[in-house]
């Protein structure tokens, strides 16, 4: 009965490859996110999706593309991987955007290592 | 742009003692939300406590409480009766109430060690 799940948990790949990380939430939430946590533990928003529409896209290289086949899924595709892409990527979800301080529920993270 | 600062990269506390983690933020908004998240070695991000800026009363969740000073833009976390399971990275986070901008801005984190 995992709330937010990500696959895989660990991903090791060569520079230049294309990879995907999958995220699924079974909470019925409307909004999903991708965060990147670098080697210094700094967490930064990459994307957020509300009802399958991208509503925020921070300054992320266009090699990164979120894809949401339905409200419960937000996958992250990364093309032409670079060494600097090595990080832990977190998926999160929250209820529909309102003025209340809705909690974001995080997945377990995917540790991506680019060799 | 909103920024969140955690000036203590590492803190330690004796088991059963109390520790306070600091957080300051910069914003021009009057209404917003603040959160403390805990990240244990398992990497899972767990919400510890939240505070709504328009509420003057400090939030409390069991052994966790905050000292919210809106004028000073300060949001510290107090952990009472520290337990070994409290050892983790703690992140302070800010969220704007603006529609269409629901993402969190995180501080750089404080690593808390609990000494038996």
């Amino acid at each position: 009965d995992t709330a937010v799940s990500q696959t895989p948990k660990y991903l090791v790949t060569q520079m230049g490859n294309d990879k995907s990380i999958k995220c699924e939430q079974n909470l019925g939430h409307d909004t999903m996110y991708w965060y990147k946590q670098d080697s210094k533990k700094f967490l930064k928003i990459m994307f957020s999706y509300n009802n399958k529409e991208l509503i925020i896209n921070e300054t992320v290289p266009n090699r990164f593309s979120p894809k949401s086949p339905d409200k419960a899924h937000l996958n992250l595709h990364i093309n032409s991987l670079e060494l600097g892409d090595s990080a832990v990527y977190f998926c999160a979800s929250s209820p529909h955007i309102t003025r209340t301080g809705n909690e974001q529920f995080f997945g377990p993270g995917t540790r991506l290592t680019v060799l | 742009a909103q920024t969140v600062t955690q000036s203590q990269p590492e803190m330690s506390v004796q088991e059963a003692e109390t520790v306070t983690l600091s957080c300051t933020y910069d914003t021009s908004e009057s209404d917003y939300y603040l959160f403390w998240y805990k990240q244990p070695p398992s990497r899972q991000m767990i919400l510890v406590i939240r505070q709504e800026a328009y509420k003057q009363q400090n939030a409390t969740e069991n052994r966790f409480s905050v000292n919210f000073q809106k004028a000073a833009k300060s949001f510290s976390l107090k952990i009472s009766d520290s337990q070994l399971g409290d050892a983790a990275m703690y992140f302070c986070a800010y969220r704007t109430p603006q529609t269409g901008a629901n993402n969190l801005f995180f501080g750089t984190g404080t690593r808390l060690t609990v000494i038996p």
Side-chain angles (χ1 to χ4, degrees):
Chain A
D1 57 348
T2 304
V4 182
S5 60
Q6 294 178 229
T7 54
K9 287 191 177 180
Y10 298 93
L11 181 56
V12 181
T13 187
Q14 297 287 333
M15 212 166 47
N17 284 350
D18 303 336
K19 290 293 179 184
S20 295
I21 305 173
K22 295 184 177 181
C23 177
E24 177 181 3
Q25 54 95 3
N26 61 6
L27 298 166
H29 287 165
D30 292 293
T31 309
M32 296 183 72
Y33 314 80
W34 277 105
Y35 288 86
K36 178 181 179 180
Q37 186 175 41
D38 62 25
S39 59
K40 296 183 178 179
K41 300 291 187 182
F42 184 59
L43 270 157
K44 188 172 181 182
I45 184 73
M46 297 178 71
F47 303 102
S48 60
Y49 253 76
N50 183 31
N51 287 330
K52 299 177 66 174
E53 292 185 16
L54 180 67
I55 55 174
I56 297 175
N57 184 352
E58 297 292 323
T59 53
V60 172
N62 57 15
R63 299 182 295 103
F64 291 80
S65 56
K67 297 226 187 317
S68 181
D70 55 58
K71 196 172 78 168
H73 296 84
L74 183 64
N75 303 325
L76 182 64
H77 297 272
I78 314 170
N79 295 324
S80 302
L81 278 157
E82 300 177 358
L83 295 177
D85 298 333
S86 295
V88 179
Y89 292 84
F90 285 94
C91 177
S93 73
S94 71
H96 184 66
I97 294 173
T98 67
R99 292 188 59 83
T100 63
N102 290 323
E103 174 185 354
Q104 290 189 14
F105 292 80
F106 284 79
T110 296
R111 181 179 293 280
L112 171 65
T113 303
V114 182
L115 303 175
Chain B
Q2 292 82 10
T3 57
V4 180
T5 302
Q6 293 179 246
S7 59
Q8 306 154 317
E10 297 183 352
M11 291 283 286
S12 61
V13 61
Q14 290 281 349
E15 195 175 3
E17 296 296 309
T18 296
V19 65
T20 299
L21 309 183
S22 301
C23 173
T24 58
Y25 55 94
D26 184 28
T27 183
S28 58
E29 296 171 324
S30 59
D31 190 17
Y32 46 86
Y33 307 95
L34 297 165
F35 304 82
W36 278 99
Y37 276 86
K38 168 185 177 181
Q39 186 179 38
S42 66
R43 281 201 326 240
Q44 185 71 48
M45 294 289 288
I46 303 164
L47 179 67
V48 174
I49 200 166
R50 86 187 80 186
Q51 175 79 42
E52 296 166 1
Y54 64 86
K55 290 187 177 179
Q56 294 184 346
Q57 186 175 6
N58 289 326
T60 300
E61 289 286 344
N62 300 315
R63 298 183 294 107
F64 298 87
S65 61
V66 300
N67 183 6
F68 174 49
Q69 301 289 328
K70 191 172 183 180
K73 295 180 183 175
S74 171
F75 181 60
S76 60
L77 174 69
K78 186 172 83 171
I79 306 174
S80 304
D81 185 25
S82 297
Q83 301 176 359
L84 295 178
D86 295 334
M89 284 287 292
Y90 285 82
F91 293 94
C92 179
Y94 170 102
R95 205 207 95 192
T96 176
Q98 295 174 11
T99 300
N102 200 29
N103 52 295
L104 295 169
F105 294 92
F106 285 91
T108 50
T110 297
R111 182 178 301 280
L112 178 66
T113 300
V114 180
I115 303 166

